Amino acid sequence: LFYAAFASCWFELLDQYKSNLVKSLKVAFVAPNVPPEILQSLLNLAEFMEHDVEKLPIDIRILADLAIKCRAYAKALHYKEQEYDTTPGACIEDLISINKKLDLPEAALGVLEATQHRLGEKKDRSSFHSDDSHSAHSLNDAEERPGAGAGGGGDNGWAGVEVKESWLAKLGSWGDALKLYERRLEENPYDVSAILGCMHCMEARGECKGVLALANQSWGALSMSESELEHGGAASGGYFEEFAQSHCIRSRSHRKSIKFCAQAAWRLGKWEQLEKYTTLLVRGEEGESHSIENGGEGGHGIGAENIPKIDFDGSFYTAILHIHRSEWELAADAINATRMAMDSRLTALMAESYKRVYPSMVTAQTLSEMEEIIQFKKLEEKVKSISNRHVANTIDIEDERKRLLSTWKKRLSGCRVDAEVHNSIMAVRSLVLGPTDEIEATLSLSVLSRQSKFFKLAEKALLDPLEALGVDLNGPVFGFRMPAELGLGWQQSDSLTQAVNIDRLVCREASFIAQQEGAGTNASFLPSYCKPHQDFFNMLVNKAGDFKRLHIQHRLYYAYVKHLWATRKNEEAMDRLSKLSVVVELAAHFEKSICDDLQVQCWVKLGNWKMLQAPPGTPISPGEQLEILSAYKKATFAKDNDYKAWHSWALINFRLVEQSHKITQNDYKMNVFGTKKETPPSASRVHHIVAAVHGFVKAISFGVKRWTASVQQDMLNFLTCLFKYGELPEVSRAINDGLDLVLNEAWLGVLPQLLARIHVKSPRIRAILHSLLIKLGVKHPQALMYPLSVLLKSPVDDRRIAAQSLMDALKANSSELVEEAQLVSSELIRVAILWLELWHEGLEESSR
């Protein structure tokens, strides 16, 4: 009842005592040593008085700053929006930052766009009132307008306001903000805010080397004290000279830069530099005394008397260093110090909501994982030190490692799908994990970073494990500099050979083509492997260590190739993927059970990229057709039950059918009566139609998510082939053979399309369609009853007759259901017609 008690006493106070009480509250708001719980209670008191009683006479800016200090961002947003009404230019950056922290990116972007629009209007008005008389007149008008000037959002509130780089950074536009910061650095190399902004943007983009390089270049300006910065002084000298002279943190900007540098040094594995930066963070500013480890000066370690002085970053990086040096006890002390340092922040955010405290919860989780690393390392050392125990009493360290990795994998799968969260977790785990551990998490981190436009971070996540594995990106393991006698890779051929090869690819089975290897033709898409290929494969495995490591290298490299394509390096990505596909196909030939999925992914992705070179509506050349068909055919042969492979194979054949139709649609023969007669389809076109039908049937049968857009696309394209080309004997035969492979339930999604064509003229198509509907009606008669009862009343005779024949077929299996459905339908129609309408209809009939 604290708030109610305060309100009851407030009205009993004299104005003098109210003023003194408000002054005391203001002093408490800005006091440095007040616990956050007390500040949170005082902030809630101010909100209670404003909402239920009367507003306390406290400046709104003080309450807004207090809310930000307590991390009560919802209250901070309320106060900053009120401040925006009076002085909009002073709180734009805070509004953007608060909306971002509240997970309201659209609102944050709206603040920036409204500011740009407001500044644009102001610029237009200033250009319109260009001479002095007009300017004076507009100023007088502004003074007379209500709300102009300091309040009401007048032009005085926007004086000197420009779009800042920090606004773009807070919105997550790190690239645009970095360009603006670099432009400021070109004008003034000693601009500390621009230097820190560049470091922040680079750190967010994963450019750790750029952070350290910029710090090395600008260390003199960063290490200046506040007084030197105010007087515009500029330090000079090299990096190591300035570092040797700086034994403590000299300013806030100096502390921020050291934090960025420590983070970058840790991610790059530069432990000596990390130790130097951590030492500065632990020492703090002049006059501060941080005691993190037991056995320090006085040997007291961490106590309650120095908890407020503990620096979170300093203790965190100290724990990282001690884990790296295998100093387990000191690392445990540093972890405890880190927890104490983040206690107040975690408590304040937890009072708001779990969503806002989530980043701190992730940090707490990483601290727990650091303790798990310490326990695992201790166990590993214990196992190594004890070698004379019986097997039954020894601990299998590999089982413990697998158990730890399994726990981490489950834990990571429950985390928020965010690049920053995964990156922070994986950075701590890298203290114990090798490049071949947690490969799925590494690939996931790369994908998330690329989706968040952190391209440098995505590239680093893939290249670091490849570098740790000691592979050459341009080496034979990825298809470069392979021996010529192997005869692997794409082979060029003339147009006649291309047409023959395309026809054989489409109309023949892979097994038949494989048997033609000795026929002297180069039409086969499957290479013939012999002893030199086996020796080359064994060389790759031996160089990698084992086949599992070779497969991991190929997976990481495949993800890197996709990253190149995402960063618009299409030619390099296409070249690397074509070479990688050949090597993966070679490896899959000797280790088929492991490489099937990767081989399918490589060939399908290569075919998709080649398809993108010929956008829809443009013809595909015979050379491109052969390459695309070969890639998709190899994918279907590598794994016969893969949906994406058959989906892609069917689509390319369907597109080639449409392309051939467009080319020949104007080639008509005119007979003597002047009527048009279409030329029959060529044999190659028929082969493409049959291949498309076969591919669509396979894709529909293997589609796991049957109601996704791609499976629905396959079904609709299959129906197009049926209604457009089902009259051809080869096509109708392929469709009849393929219908048995598809579950009946799959056709329920396209039932309206099927019923709309039941009166088709072609006997072959009608036979296929009616047999499919009858088969569907046997298992799902309820799905057909209502639409067929509607079609029975159709004014089109052919449609009504076809519907009657289907209804008669349904009666053979569900006669009672048909009779009841017809009774309900007729009764619903009967009760829907009024007697007056029946009389009018009867009179009209008699009048005729």
Side-chain angles (χ1 to χ4, degrees):
L1 298 178
F2 168 66
Y3 307 138
F6 181 90
S8 63
C9 296
W10 175 259
F11 293 105
E12 302 298 328
L13 294 178
L14 299 177
D15 293 341
Q16 177 184 358
Y17 296 117
K18 287 183 179 180
S19 178
N20 293 335
L21 181 56
V22 169
K23 290 180 181 179
S24 301
L25 288 175
K26 291 181 180 179
V27 172
F29 289 164
V30 299
N33 297 324
V34 177
E37 296 84 359
I38 303 299
L39 294 178
Q40 186 84 23
S41 298
L42 296 177
L43 187 63
N44 292 336
L45 172 63
E47 181 187 17
F48 173 80
M49 294 295 293
E50 179 185 1
H51 186 269
D52 293 334
V53 187
E54 68 176 14
K55 189 175 181 180
L56 293 176
I58 301 176
D59 191 352
I60 202 70
R61 291 171 295 182
I62 297 178
L63 294 176
D65 294 339
L66 177 63
I68 294 175
K69 182 180 178 181
C70 295
R71 295 178 176 84
Y73 297 120
K75 296 183 179 65
L77 180 62
H78 169 68
Y79 294 130
K80 283 296 179 181
E81 287 176 345
Q82 292 185 11
E83 184 182 350
Y84 184 85
D85 294 336
T86 57
T87 55
C91 57
I92 294 173
E93 184 171 354
D94 290 332
L95 282 173
I96 294 175
S97 177
I98 293 170
N99 279 293
K100 285 289 290 183
K101 291 177 179 178
L102 288 174
D103 248 355
L104 300 172
E106 294 85 359
L109 184 61
V111 173
L112 178 61
E113 292 182 353
T115 303
Q116 292 174 336
H117 179 70
R118 189 73 172 86
L119 294 177
E121 288 184 348
K122 179 186 174 185
K123 183 177 179 181
D124 294 339
R125 288 197 301 268
S126 62
S127 62
F128 179 76
H129 301 287
S130 56
D131 55 81
D132 295 339
S133 60
H134 285 171
S135 299
H137 181 67
S138 62
L139 180 61
N140 294 332
D141 289 344
E143 293 175 349
E144 293 174 0
R145 284 196 305 266
D155 285 346
N156 290 342
W158 295 90
V161 178
E162 296 179 356
V163 177
K164 298 180 181 180
E165 303 85 352
S166 58
W167 301 355
L168 298 175
K170 291 182 183 298
L171 285 172
S173 302
W174 303 108
D176 298 335
L178 181 59
K179 292 178 182 179
L180 296 179
Y181 279 126
E182 289 176 344
R183 191 179 305 167
R184 283 177 54 184
L185 279 182
E186 292 177 358
E187 300 174 357
N188 182 12
Y190 299 105
D191 189 346
V192 176
S193 62
I195 297 172
L196 292 176
C198 284
M199 297 176 74
H200 189 195
C201 295
M202 291 178 180
E203 191 264 342
R205 287 161 56 92
E207 302 176 13
C208 298
K209 293 182 180 179
V211 173
L212 294 181
L214 182 59
N216 187 10
Q217 178 183 353
S218 309
W219 192 258
L222 292 171
S223 59
M224 288 189 295
S225 63
E226 299 288 352
S227 60
E228 292 172 340
L229 288 173
E230 291 176 358
H231 290 85
S236 61
Y239 170 82
F240 294 105
E241 296 176 358
E242 293 293 341
F243 192 91
Q245 296 174 4
S246 300
H247 298 287
C248 60
I249 298 176
R250 308 187 64 189
S251 63
R252 292 182 179 178
S253 59
H254 194 198
R255 180 186 293 275
K256 289 182 180 180
S257 63
I258 292 174
K259 290 179 181 180
F260 289 134
C261 293
Q263 178 80 356
W266 173 36
R267 298 298 174 86
L268 293 174
K270 297 185 177 181
W271 301 104
E272 294 181 358
Q273 293 190 29
L274 177 59
E275 183 178 3
K276 295 175 183 178
Y277 295 126
T278 304
T279 303
L280 280 177
L281 289 173
V282 172
R283 288 176 181 172
E285 300 181 6
E286 295 181 354
E288 290 184 352
S289 175
H290 294 178
S291 176
I292 293 180
E293 302 168 2
N294 290 328
E297 294 184 6
H300 299 294
I302 300 173
E305 67 277 359
N306 61 1
I307 288 178
K309 297 181 180 181
I310 296 175
D311 180 78
F312 169 81
D313 297 282
S315 56
F316 179 80
Y317 292 120
T318 300
I320 295 293
L321 283 171
H322 287 315
I323 292 176
H324 176 69
R325 297 170 183 165
S326 301
E327 299 170 351
W328 312 127
E329 299 300 329
L330 297 178
D333 292 338
I335 292 173
N336 290 331
T338 307
R339 283 201 178 98
M340 294 179 185
M342 67 177 298
D343 177 65
S344 60
R345 176 177 61 180
L346 186 65
T347 304
L349 288 175
M350 188 64 76
E352 286 289 310
S353 67
Y354 179 79
K355 189 175 183 180
R356 296 171 199 168
V357 79
Y358 188 80
S360 298
M361 295 293 293
V362 172
T363 304
Q365 176 180 308
T366 57
L367 294 178
S368 299
E369 292 189 354
M370 290 166 67
E371 292 178 335
E372 293 174 351
I373 292 173
I374 294 174
Q375 293 176 1
F376 175 76
K377 286 294 186 180
K378 283 183 177 180
L379 183 62
E380 193 175 28
E381 291 179 353
K382 182 179 179 181
V383 171
K384 291 181 180 179
S385 62
I386 301 175
S387 58
N388 56 356
R389 281 190 176 184
H390 191 270
V391 178
N393 297 327
T394 57
I395 300 174
D396 192 347
I397 195 64
E398 287 300 323
D399 289 345
E400 294 296 327
R401 183 183 184 86
K402 291 179 181 178
R403 188 178 296 110
L404 181 62
L405 292 178
S406 177
T407 302
W408 283 355
K409 183 178 180 180
K410 293 178 182 177
R411 191 179 295 162
L412 188 63
S413 63
C415 291
R416 180 188 297 173
V417 184
D418 183 77
E420 296 180 1
V421 172
H422 283 240
N423 188 30
S424 61
I425 294 175
M426 292 301 297
V428 172
R429 294 180 181 180
S430 64
L431 294 170
V432 68
L433 295 180
T436 59
D437 299 322
E438 289 278 5
I439 183 66
E440 298 294 341
T442 302
L443 297 176
S444 176
L445 173 60
S446 176
V447 173
L448 292 176
S449 302
R450 190 163 60 245
Q451 291 175 351
S452 301
K453 308 300 181 183
F454 300 155
F455 296 111
K456 291 291 184 181
L457 179 59
E459 182 177 350
K460 182 177 181 296
L462 298 172
L463 293 184
D464 284 353
L466 286 174
E467 183 180 355
L469 291 171
V471 296
D472 182 10
L473 295 181
N474 298 320
V477 67
F478 300 132
F480 292 88
R481 304 194 303 271
M482 288 195 303
E485 59 269 16
L486 297 180
L488 300 176
W490 296 98
Q491 298 179 358
Q492 300 292 333
S493 56
D494 54 26
S495 58
L496 180 61
T497 308
Q498 289 173 355
V500 175
N501 291 344
I502 290 174
D503 188 62
R504 295 187 65 189
L505 270 176
V506 173
C507 69
R508 304 292 179 90
E509 294 296 330
S511 58
F512 177 82
I513 297 179
Q515 295 173 2
Q516 304 299 318
E517 295 287 341
T521 63
N522 59 350
S524 176
F525 63 91
L526 294 176
S528 131
Y529 296 114
C530 51
K531 190 175 184 303
H533 298 89
Q534 177 74 52
D535 296 338
F536 178 72
F537 172 72
N538 293 335
M539 183 271 294
L540 294 180
V541 173
N542 294 332
K543 190 174 181 180
D546 54 31
F547 181 75
K548 181 180 178 181
R549 292 172 66 91
L550 177 65
H551 183 59
I552 290 175
Q553 292 175 10
H554 286 164
R555 292 185 64 189
L556 291 171
Y557 185 77
Y558 172 69
Y560 172 68
V561 170
K562 292 197 297 182
H563 171 75
L564 291 177
W565 183 272
T567 53
R568 302 184 183 277
K569 299 178 182 178
N570 296 353
E571 294 183 1
E572 180 183 358
M574 186 87 71
D575 179 62
R576 289 184 179 275
L577 183 57
S578 61
K579 290 180 170 60
L580 174 66
S581 302
V582 173
V583 178
V584 171
E585 183 182 29
L586 173 67
H589 178 76
F590 299 104
E591 295 286 345
K592 188 152 184 79
S593 60
I594 299 179
C595 287
D596 286 348
D597 292 335
L598 181 60
Q599 184 184 5
V600 171
Q601 291 173 8
C602 289
W603 287 122
V604 170
K605 186 64 68 175
L606 182 62
N608 292 342
W609 287 354
K610 289 183 179 294
M611 283 274 288
L612 291 177
Q613 292 181 338
T618 59
I620 305 176
S621 64
E624 293 175 342
Q625 292 181 26
L626 180 59
E627 293 178 356
I628 297 171
L629 288 169
S630 298
Y632 289 149
K633 190 68 175 179
K634 289 180 179 180
T636 59
F637 184 74
K639 192 174 182 181
D640 186 63
N641 61 347
D642 188 84
Y643 167 76
K644 289 186 177 180
W646 286 109
H647 172 75
S648 303
W649 169 257
L651 283 182
I652 179 59
N653 282 280
F654 186 74
R655 178 173 174 179
L656 293 178
V657 170
E658 296 297 317
Q659 176 178 318
S660 175
H661 177 70
K662 288 181 180 179
I663 294 175
T664 59
Q665 65 180 349
N666 294 324
D667 297 339
Y668 291 107
K669 294 181 179 179
M670 304 294 295
N671 58 17
V672 293
F673 298 103
T675 59
K676 294 182 179 180
K677 181 180 180 182
E678 186 177 0
T679 58
S682 62
S684 61
R685 184 178 173 189
V686 173
H687 292 159
H688 282 298
I689 299 172
V690 173
V693 169
H694 182 64
F696 286 133
V697 168
K698 287 275 192 177
I700 295 169
S701 61
F702 295 140
V704 178
K705 299 178 180 179
R706 300 193 174 278
W707 306 122
T708 57
S710 56
V711 177
Q712 288 291 96
Q713 179 189 15
D714 294 332
M715 301 186 72
L716 294 176
N717 288 333
F718 175 83
L719 294 182
T720 301
C721 294
L722 169 63
F723 297 135
K724 199 170 184 178
Y725 308 106
E727 183 64 25
L728 300 175
E730 299 88 346
V731 178
S732 62
R733 192 181 310 115
I735 292 176
N736 281 319
D737 295 340
L739 289 178
D740 296 332
L741 302 177
V742 182
L743 295 175
N744 292 327
E745 289 76 9
W747 303 108
L748 294 176
V750 292
L751 187 59
Q753 288 82 356
L754 295 175
L755 292 173
R757 299 293 188 94
I758 60 174
H759 61 291
V760 65
K761 297 291 185 182
S762 172
R764 281 198 178 98
I765 300 176
R766 177 180 291 189
I768 295 173
L769 183 58
H770 283 209
S771 63
L772 176 60
L773 289 172
I774 292 172
K775 188 190 303 183
L776 187 61
V778 172
K779 280 198 170 184
H780 303 279
Q782 297 88 348
L784 291 175
M785 289 309 306
Y786 178 72
L788 282 180
S789 63
V790 174
L791 291 175
L792 286 174
K793 299 174 178 60
S794 174
V796 181
D797 294 336
D798 293 340
R799 183 175 297 178
R800 186 174 60 255
I801 295 172
Q804 185 62 50
S805 64
L806 291 174
M807 186 69 75
D808 294 339
L810 287 180
K811 287 183 180 180
N813 297 295
S814 306
S815 58
E816 184 177 356
L817 177 65
V818 172
E819 292 177 359
E820 291 177 353
Q822 290 180 344
L823 176 62
V824 171
S825 177
S826 60
E827 288 299 313
L828 287 176
I829 295 175
R830 185 181 64 82
V831 300
I833 302 176
L834 300 176
W835 285 6
L836 184 62
E837 295 175 346
L838 290 175
W839 276 101
H840 279 290
E841 183 179 358
L843 291 175
E844 289 180 2
E845 289 291 336
S846 62
S847 65
R848 296 195 186 99

